[in-house]
Amino acid sequence: AVSGDGTSTLYTDLGSTRTLAALPGSPVYFFVSESSITLSWNLNTNPSSTKFRAQLSTSSTFDGLSDSFTSYNAYTSTGFIGLLANSTYYTRVQARNEATPVTETAYVSLGSTVTKINPPITVGISNVQTNQLAFTWNANGNGAGTVYQAQISSFSNFNPVILTSSTELLSSTYT
């Protein structure tokens, strides 16, 4: 403080504290495969030592049944592996400060993405008759709701296609 005659008092140490972490910013999916997703975000106004935790779920409500978390770390990207092909995944991230007590920000949605589809594995041709033919295949890790398209042609380049069938089943019968 400074008195009216200009005399200053000694400074009083009020201690120090850390500010709370800012929300993570600018989500980017930069790699999506049949079984993995790698995502990133920027620091926003946080220092480079800020720790983040990402969460992935097949549920937009993150209800815990299919949630996967990363541990807190000072990286601005992370990956999730072992995912189902052709499935929708929702992601979000939060930051936490290094003050005591530790305080976490709210989650910031990074949106959703769909993993790529695997080609089906051909299992066989069955029920071959003069006017009927059936194909069966394996889903090869694709999630429920995958639509498969089966085609018949007399030519190896499938030009022209004689018959086409779209189905969520793992078989198609042509008559």
Side-chain angles (χ1 to χ4, degrees):
V2 178
S3 67
D5 67 1
T7 305
S8 297
T9 64
L10 296 175
Y11 287 97
T12 301
D13 184 0
L14 299 176
S16 66
T17 188
R18 293 181 184 243
T19 58
L20 298 178
L23 294 172
S26 299
V28 176
Y29 287 97
F30 61 86
F31 181 77
V32 178
S33 76
E34 295 83 358
S35 62
S36 67
I37 296 173
T38 302
L39 49 113
S40 70
W41 55 92
N42 72 27
L43 288 170
N44 200 352
T45 58
N46 291 306
S48 61
S49 61
T50 303
K51 294 195 168 51
F52 299 92
R53 178 171 69 172
Q55 184 180 14
L56 174 125
S57 182
T58 56
S59 169
S60 62
T61 60
F62 293 87
D63 58 18
L65 299 176
S66 61
D67 295 357
S68 178
F69 291 92
T70 61
S71 58
Y72 279 102
N73 60 60
Y75 304 114
T76 55
S77 67
T78 193
F80 294 93
I81 60 173
L83 307 179
L84 290 174
N86 196 34
S87 299
T88 301
Y89 288 93
Y90 301 87
T91 58
R92 61 188 186 176
V93 66
Q94 71 180 165
R96 92 174 166 191
N97 69 336
E98 296 188 29
T100 303
V102 171
T103 304
E104 299 164 340
T105 66
Y107 276 102
V108 172
S109 173
L110 299 180
S112 65
T113 191
V114 177
T115 49
K116 293 183 178 180
I117 191 167
N118 281 321
I121 298 172
T122 302
V123 174
I125 300 171
S126 62
N127 202 17
V128 178
Q129 299 176 21
T130 57
N131 65 345
Q132 186 170 316
L133 177 67
F135 293 102
T136 59
W137 54 87
N138 181 296
N140 193 18
N142 292 313
T146 300
V147 177
Y148 301 93
Q149 187 177 61
Q151 297 178 332
I152 293 180
S153 177
S154 299
F155 300 93
S156 61
N157 67 357
F158 284 81
N159 188 12
V161 172
I162 298 171
L163 294 170
T164 298
S165 171
S166 294
T167 181
E168 292 184 22
L169 302 175
L170 298 178
S171 64
S172 184
T173 301
Y174 297 93
T175 55

